[in-house]
Amino acid sequence: KDYADGSWDETEEVDYANNWRLWSRYNAALYWAMTTMTTVGYGDIVPESNGERAATMLAMVVGGSFYGFVIAQIGQIMSCTDLKTKRFY
């Protein structure tokens, strides 16, 4: 490799991740993508095993779904408050 000294590719974390099995890499990549897309953030406490990552992703899906449900209910309540449009439906 022709990397400069101290490159990110020479760190122990990258060497450790390069030795993971394919499923572990896929799971870590999926966790990163879901954490980024749901804007949950990475925080100080992170899952380290495949099971922890899977449970965290499930919690993100459930939490995001619940948040969407609450927002939809608020929108429905707001749409029913106008009495003039309500009598046409």
Side-chain angles (χ1 to χ4, degrees):
K1 297 179 183 180
D2 285 336
Y3 296 116
D5 290 338
S7 172
W8 65 269
D9 192 44
E10 293 178 354
T11 61
E12 290 180 22
E13 290 84 9
V14 172
D15 289 337
Y16 174 71
N18 285 335
N19 293 328
W20 286 359
R21 294 179 181 227
L22 182 61
W23 171 246
S24 295
R25 287 183 186 188
Y26 180 76
N27 195 6
L30 189 61
Y31 166 76
W32 175 83
M34 287 189 67
T35 303
T36 302
M37 288 190 306
T38 57
T39 65
V40 169
Y42 299 99
D44 295 336
I45 301 172
V46 295
E48 295 185 12
S49 69
N50 286 332
E52 291 173 350
R53 283 187 200 98
T56 304
M57 288 186 285
L58 178 65
M60 282 188 251
V61 169
V62 170
S65 299
F66 180 73
Y67 180 75
F69 174 77
V70 169
I71 295 299
Q73 293 301 315
I74 291 172
Q76 186 175 6
I77 291 169
M78 296 298 287
S79 70
C80 291
T81 58
D82 189 8
L83 295 177
K84 289 181 182 178
T85 58
K86 186 176 179 182
R87 59 178 201 192
F88 292 109
Y89 293 109

